[in-house]
Amino acid sequence: MEFLDKAILPQSAHHMVLIKYLIVVAFVLLIPYLSLLLGNLAYSLYFRKRAIRENNENFYKLSEDMIEMITFNKGVAFALGIVPMLSAMFGFAQLLNQTSASVHGYLFISLLFLINALLLIYSYKNGFLFKVKVNDENPNVTNTEKNRIAKQERAVKIFGKSGKYGIYLLLISIYIFCGAIQLSFDTERWQSVGNIGEMVFSFNALISFAQFIISAFLITSAMILYRYFRTNSEGTNFKDEFQNYIRDFVLIRGLIATILLISFVVLSVMMRTKSSLSFGVFGYTVVALCLILIVSSLFYLMLKESSTKYNSAVIFLVVLTVFVLIIRDQYSVDVSTKKQFAILAANYDAYQAKINEQLGIGGAVINGADIYNGRCIACHNFDKKIVGPPYNSTMPKYEGKKDLLVKFIMNPVKVNPDYPAMPNQGLKPKEAEAVADYLLTTYKK
Ligand code: HEC
């Protein structure tokens, strides 16, 4: 990740705040996307398995629908997956610059897994184009035809496999992602975490991973509920019986997910280090818990009444919950990186001052009068002799020869035998020029 470290310029405190917002925006896109990708792929694989086992056309159609829902367009993977992950990576590279925490490095590894997972998932989705209707009983099927069908069946199998490997890679990507985020506010571990292994085997990473998976199923269930059962839904081609199966399937999974999520949201706060806790973190946790409780009771009510009437409320509340949890985690990052933040801001000021100095422009404007009052007045006055001669007597010879005056001020030479030599005042060119201007304009008055 050295190339990234080199690409980093010190940022002002103002920019750092913008970077924090950038990370929040990236997460608001990325986390729901990854959740839906995982949830839909898992459901799709599950239904596909049942379709094959029970030779049920409905399950096959449902499986295809699930994966189509999240991969309808390749641009989605870029806009909601890859680009936000890259932004978060660059954001953290800036934010945690000069710490030993390589959060951006882990995000990069997570991104690599994600890209590979996406390739497999898209080929899994394309496998549905190869759907074959096999009719073994038909005696008219020729041998070549049989061969063709066998080939297609093999292709279907391979595409099914790529879905399976896709979900493994996706899980690894998500795990590393969760570990990296946990690390970003676990300042105490920054010194000790030297490699990805140590990061992966942290208890916090495990809990946050579990929380991610559970909320993935919650979001996906809410999404399916909304898609199939909202009032204006164009409807699916499924018969009522199968619609009811889908309804109960998602309602039960949704309910279980909410109950599990409550314990994991609590657990993840309890496990957090003190340095990453604040009232904000607690406040957002309480809000999230309330939202989850409401969603949970809505799922329960719908199950009890065998209805789906709260589908839009559920999807709205679930999305809200996810956002609240993202903001909560960002609060933790905020609290725990305060010190780091101050160091970076100070670094930036020093960096800016250095650049200004190189360019000869001061953050503070160079003022001739100030320099005179601070550096020269001990030995010089305009009309009285102190240690050095009064300016009123020496300035006239420099009239129209500012260059010479600047040269003298920067590098005094012996002039008048009545006086001792003037010690070098160590002024910079810009300062010498400013004070020369000041002396030349002031002595006449
Ligand atoms: C420690 C005392 C001291 C300080 C401080 C000092 N000077 Fe001088 N300065 C002298 C002395 C002594 C002379 C006379 C040197 C000579 O004639 O060789 C002198 C001479 C000068 C002269 C006249 C040179 C000439 O050609 O006759 C100028 C102009 C001058 N100083 C500017 C400055 C400025 C500008 C500063 C502040 C940035 C400054 N000095 C600070 C002691 C000082």
Side-chain angles (χ1 to χ4, degrees):
M1 289 284 99
E2 251 174 60
F3 77 93
L4 251 187
D5 296 336
K6 284 197 186 110
I8 291 164
L9 287 177
Q11 299 288 326
S12 67
H14 180 68
H15 276 160
M16 300 291 278
V17 173
L18 286 183
I19 289 172
K20 284 188 181 179
Y21 281 120
L22 171 90
I23 293 178
V24 173
V25 172
F27 282 175
V28 162
L29 299 174
L30 181 64
I31 292 177
Y33 172 71
L34 287 182
S35 302
L36 282 173
L37 190 64
L38 177 68
N40 276 303
L41 180 59
Y43 282 162
S44 172
L45 284 168
Y46 172 76
F47 291 135
R48 192 173 186 280
K49 210 168 175 183
R50 285 197 67 167
I52 292 168
R53 201 172 52 206
E54 297 166 27
N55 203 5
N56 183 329
E57 195 59 27
N58 282 328
F59 278 125
Y60 202 81
K61 169 93 184 36
L62 191 57
S63 170
E64 183 175 4
D65 238 32
M66 293 289 115
I67 199 68
E68 187 69 35
M69 213 192 279
I70 192 71
T71 57
F72 54 90
N73 180 331
K74 282 198 187 74
V76 179
F78 271 100
L80 302 180
I82 294 173
V83 172
M85 186 72 103
L86 275 172
S87 323
M89 194 176 101
F90 280 101
F92 275 111
Q94 295 279 12
L95 212 57
L96 304 185
N97 156 25
Q98 294 178 352
T99 67
S100 47
S102 178
V103 171
H104 59 283
Y106 298 128
L107 287 180
F108 183 67
I109 298 172
S110 169
L111 176 67
L112 291 184
F113 276 102
L114 177 63
I115 291 172
N116 284 301
L118 282 170
L119 290 175
L120 288 171
I121 292 167
Y122 274 84
S123 75
Y124 167 70
K125 169 224 170 140
N126 288 335
F128 282 93
L129 298 173
F130 282 90
K131 173 79 178 97
V132 269
K133 269 240 159 67
V134 195
N135 196 348
D136 289 336
E137 270 82 72
N138 189 349
N140 297 335
V141 177
T142 61
N143 263 348
T144 41
E145 183 73 352
K146 267 187 187 157
N147 251 336
R148 198 180 60 81
I149 290 173
K151 266 188 198 151
Q152 284 192 353
E153 275 190 325
R154 220 176 307 142
V156 169
K157 247 192 198 140
I158 291 171
F159 283 120
K161 274 222 175 88
S162 65
K164 219 160 91 189
Y165 292 125
I167 205 167
Y168 294 151
L169 292 184
L170 185 61
L171 284 171
I172 297 174
S173 167
I174 291 174
Y175 193 121
I176 298 173
F177 176 76
C178 290
I181 303 312
Q182 289 298 311
L183 186 62
S184 72
F185 46 72
D186 198 351
T187 34
E188 283 158 33
R189 271 196 317 134
W190 285 0
Q191 299 304 323
S192 61
V193 174
N195 59 47
I196 192 155
E198 285 170 46
M199 186 202 72
V200 166
F201 295 113
S202 100
F203 193 60
N204 281 342
L206 208 64
I207 290 179
S208 130
F209 179 62
Q211 187 195 307
F212 197 108
I213 306 259
I214 296 164
S215 53
F217 280 100
L218 177 58
I219 299 172
T220 311
S221 301
M223 176 89 172
I224 295 171
L225 194 68
Y226 180 72
R227 188 177 144 94
Y228 285 136
F229 299 100
R230 66 168 189 267
T231 3
N232 293 327
S233 150
E234 295 116 51
T236 49
N237 307 324
F238 298 125
K239 298 219 173 65
D240 279 355
E241 212 179 306
F242 197 70
Q243 282 276 68
N244 288 346
Y245 166 80
I246 301 174
R247 183 196 64 209
D248 291 347
F249 181 88
V250 291
L251 285 182
I252 290 171
R253 266 116 203 117
L255 183 60
I256 296 172
T258 50
I259 293 167
L260 287 175
L261 195 56
I262 289 173
S263 28
F264 276 91
V265 167
V266 173
L267 203 60
S268 70
V269 180
M270 279 166 41
M271 295 307 301
R272 223 159 262 193
T273 49
K274 274 210 195 77
S275 58
S276 61
L277 290 179
S278 71
F279 274 114
V281 177
F282 282 119
Y284 277 105
T285 304
V286 171
V287 173
L289 286 176
C290 292
L291 288 171
I292 300 169
L293 269 175
I294 298 173
V295 175
S296 194
S297 15
L298 291 180
F299 271 126
Y300 177 74
L301 281 176
M302 286 189 282
L303 253 181
K304 218 172 97 182
E305 298 170 9
S306 292
S307 83
T308 56
K309 57 183 171 189
Y310 302 120
N311 62 69
S312 20
V314 163
I315 187 95
F316 174 74
L317 292 173
V318 166
V319 169
L320 200 63
T321 310
V322 173
F323 288 170
V324 169
L325 287 176
I326 291 172
I327 295 173
R328 175 187 77 154
D329 281 0
Q330 257 345 82
Y331 248 88
S332 269
V333 174
D334 231 47
V335 181
S336 59
T337 54
K338 265 218 176 88
K339 203 169 119 199
Q340 158 72 7
F341 203 68
I343 296 174
L344 284 184
N347 273 347
Y348 174 76
D349 291 343
Y351 165 82
Q352 197 60 40
K354 209 172 106 196
I355 291 218
N356 284 348
E357 193 181 301
Q358 278 164 7
L359 295 176
I361 44 172
V365 180
I366 299 174
N367 182 328
D370 284 349
I371 297 172
Y372 166 73
N373 287 317
R375 309 280 283 271
C376 322
I377 209 165
C379 302
H380 289 287
N381 204 319
F382 279 90
D383 43 18
K384 277 195 309 254
K385 171 183 166 184
I386 313 180
V387 184
Y391 287 137
N392 287 350
S393 66
T394 54
M395 278 308 114
K397 68 175 175 197
Y398 288 112
E399 198 57 62
K401 294 179 196 152
K402 198 176 97 181
D403 288 356
L404 279 179
L405 179 56
V406 170
K407 209 173 142 198
F408 174 84
I409 294 171
M410 293 212 21
N411 198 7
V413 288
K414 189 87 201 71
V415 187
N416 190 335
D418 298 343
Y419 292 96
M422 167 171 151
N424 194 327
Q425 297 302 305
L427 296 188
K428 303 209 171 64
K430 289 276 161 190
E431 295 170 327
E433 196 179 331
V435 77
D437 280 335
Y438 173 74
L439 297 182
L440 284 171
T441 48
T442 315
Y443 85 95
K444 295 173 203 157
K445 289 176 194 161

